[in-house]
Amino acid sequence: MTNNISNTELNSGVALPGYDRSRLKSKIVHLGFGAFHRAHQALFTNELAQKTDSDWGYCEVNLFGGEELIEQLREQDHLYTVAEKGAEKNDVKVIGSVCESLHPTFDGEEAVIEKMAEPQVAIVSMTITEKGYCADPATGKLDKENALVKADLANPTQPKSALGYIVQALKLRRERGLTPFTVMSCDNVQENGHVAKAAILEFARLLDAELGEWIEQNVTFPCTMVDRIVPAATEETLAEISELLGCDDPCGIACEPFRQWVIEDNFVAGRPDWNVAGAEFVADVVPYEEMKLRMLNGSHSFLAYLGYLGGYAHISDTMTDEGYRKAAFDMMMKAQAPSLDMPEGTDLEAYARLLIDRFTNPSLKHQTWQIAMDGSQKIPQRMGGSLKFHLEQGSNFSWLATAIAGWMRYVAGVDEQGNEINVLDPMVETLRKICDEHGLNVSVVPALLSVEAIFPPELGQNPQVIDAVSTAYQSLIDNGARATVAAL
Ligand code: NAI
Ligand code: CS2
């Protein structure tokens, strides 16, 4: 057996689980063993087991890709590292909350469904990216034309989508007289629990109306606000983790020190006391989700498109440019904050300052290209609500218009030097076709604003929106991203 994190003495200073892992049970099946989950929910659950006699553990599942990661995780007894990288120091933690793992590619779909139908499973949680919900981004409703949805409706016992797996597992639980589980979305989707619920109910009803009814009556879908900046692992971060740890860990992940998790307390079959590890249980998460999506993620997308076009590879690089730094703060405070309706005592200016500090962290190499990915799914929830607010109020929304123009210029697929951009987006074909018809011409603006899956007509057909986005787009063509941002 080769040396790995489970059989090697690790460097001193590395925090080990320190509890008897054999007491943990796979009471949570998590779909999406990606970068974020490793550094967020699994870490909270690990900390809970350290502080209490909690028996909550995970079975990890990757439905799309990530086969190698699951294989590597198994080879190291499901242990892996999280390196929390601050501007000055690193904290290195070995996470012990994962008990087992499955992948449909080598374990088969049935094994995943059967696991989700085991009696002890109380929660199925998800970090499956925005597109994993198979919902129309503009309306948040199930997209019945989605290829995965069509395939799963035709062949429900061998599903491909997360929705298909969840509905099939709930069907088995109902048939077997078992309690249902809670479905908990941990994705950056506005009202993520409501979107998950609407998509799952509609999908279930299309299969079997009675099953849909049973799910509606028995399953809960709490909304959650999740926050921690966790860039995709790179060779450099893995090399750094090896150095800090004293052995290689291909499942290791680096992230910022900050973490936040606000959860709607609505679970049907019990839940871990994640509050012991710093999570907050509240009755209504929606205001916190909106705050985070608009202020953090909205300004992230602004910086991603305009930063990439301006030649900045990482978010921390954009923060060294005074124009970008100021524009990001103004995007938060002038474009997004006014549109929020927060509980009394929320200090949005302090929140914005903290966000700017977090974006500045030079130890974190968060690529603008990574955040620019899947813009068709992100823009509506990060900017749609605030755009609507400014139109109603008659107030200035030039930061939002510039961000949308930046996205339009980015999806054209060539940067300001004429180099190709690798645009990743589930709607890339539609977007590319429109961009190719217009070239780098302002006429592309109304054409892209007419894509109703992204911009509902009240936004996309609004003359003020068309005008403001066109002005920003023309400035990007004439002056480039840096000058356009500086002039904001
Ligand atoms: P990642 O690329 O490392 O992992 C993506 C995961 O989603 C993989 O496990 C993959 O199997 C799964 N997936 C992809 N497409 C899917 C589909 N169509 N159906 C089902 N599963 C699918 O990405 P990462 O960083 O883990 O982020 C995942 C999501 O977590 C984000 O999209 C976001 O919603 C949320 N998030 C991420 C944060 C971050 O800083 N990385 C912070 C807060 C939330
Ligand atoms: C980012 C988020 O990739 C993106 O779109 O905006 O993943 C962001 O890093 C997290 O939401 C921070 O919590």
Side-chain angles (χ1 to χ4, degrees), residues 196-408:
K197 179 176 181 178
I200 287 169
L201 284 185
E202 183 154 12
F203 179 89
R205 288 201 175 106
L206 290 170
L207 272 182
D208 169 351
E210 271 184 35
L211 175 64
E213 183 62 24
W214 183 82
I215 295 177
E216 178 155 32
Q217 297 304 323
N218 292 283
V219 178
T220 54
F221 301 83
C223 288
T224 66
M225 182 269 243
V226 287
D227 191 8
R228 172 165 248 186
I229 296 176
V230 190
T234 60
E235 277 179 25
E236 286 85 19
T237 45
L238 290 180
E240 204 181 339
I241 286 174
S242 298
E243 190 72 21
L244 292 165
L245 199 62
C247 78
D248 286 345
D249 178 1
C251 306
I253 193 80
C255 61
E256 66 171 338
F258 181 91
R259 61 173 142 122
Q260 189 175 13
W261 195 6
V262 188
I263 309 166
E264 181 186 339
D265 201 358
N266 184 16
F267 290 76
V268 277
R271 53 138 173 100
D273 292 326
W274 281 307
N275 49 313
V276 171
E280 291 160 78
F281 287 103
V282 300
D284 183 11
V285 178
V286 174
Y288 300 94
E289 278 191 282
E290 279 187 354
M291 175 186 82
K292 191 247 167 178
L293 272 166
R294 292 185 191 176
M295 290 185 62
L296 189 161
N297 299 109
S299 57
H300 242 185
S301 291
F302 174 97
L303 291 170
Y305 297 115
L306 296 155
Y308 187 98
L309 294 168
Y312 294 119
H314 305 105
I315 291 293
S316 54
D317 302 332
T318 67
M319 289 293 102
T320 62
D321 180 320
E322 212 26 67
Y324 280 72
R325 202 178 168 85
K326 182 175 179 304
F329 186 76
D330 287 346
M331 169 85 173
M332 293 172 197
M333 288 311 299
K334 296 183 180 161
Q336 305 286 48
S339 73
L340 297 168
D341 186 9
M342 297 306 295
E344 230 182 276
T346 311
D347 185 345
L348 291 178
E349 185 164 340
Y351 183 63
R353 293 200 187 286
L354 175 66
L355 292 178
I356 295 289
D357 280 352
R358 290 169 62 194
F359 291 177
T360 307
N361 183 347
S363 311
L364 224 52
K365 298 283 173 243
H366 202 185
Q367 288 187 53
T368 46
W369 173 80
Q370 187 193 342
I371 300 164
M373 201 181 287
D374 291 353
S376 66
Q377 315 292 301
K378 294 175 176 174
I379 294 225
Q381 39 205 341
R382 297 178 179 199
M383 297 175 205
S386 34
L387 196 50
K388 198 160 164 277
F389 169 88
H390 287 291
L391 290 173
E392 281 161 10
Q393 300 290 313
S395 41
N396 180 4
F397 60 89
S398 52
W399 300 272
L400 299 166
T402 306
I404 294 169
W407 167 74
M408 291 178 170

Side-chain angles (χ1 to χ4, degrees), residues 32-36 62 64 127-130 132 187-188 228-230:
F33 187 69
F36 177 56
N62 266 336
F64 282 80
T127 48
I128 54 174
T129 79
E130 292 85 346
D187 274 294
N188 282 331
R228 172 165 248 186
I229 296 176
V230 190

Side-chain angles (χ1 to χ4, degrees), residues 133 135-142 194-196 198-199:
Y133 295 82
D136 181 81
T139 61
K141 300 230 168 71
L142 182 73
H194 301 154
V195 168

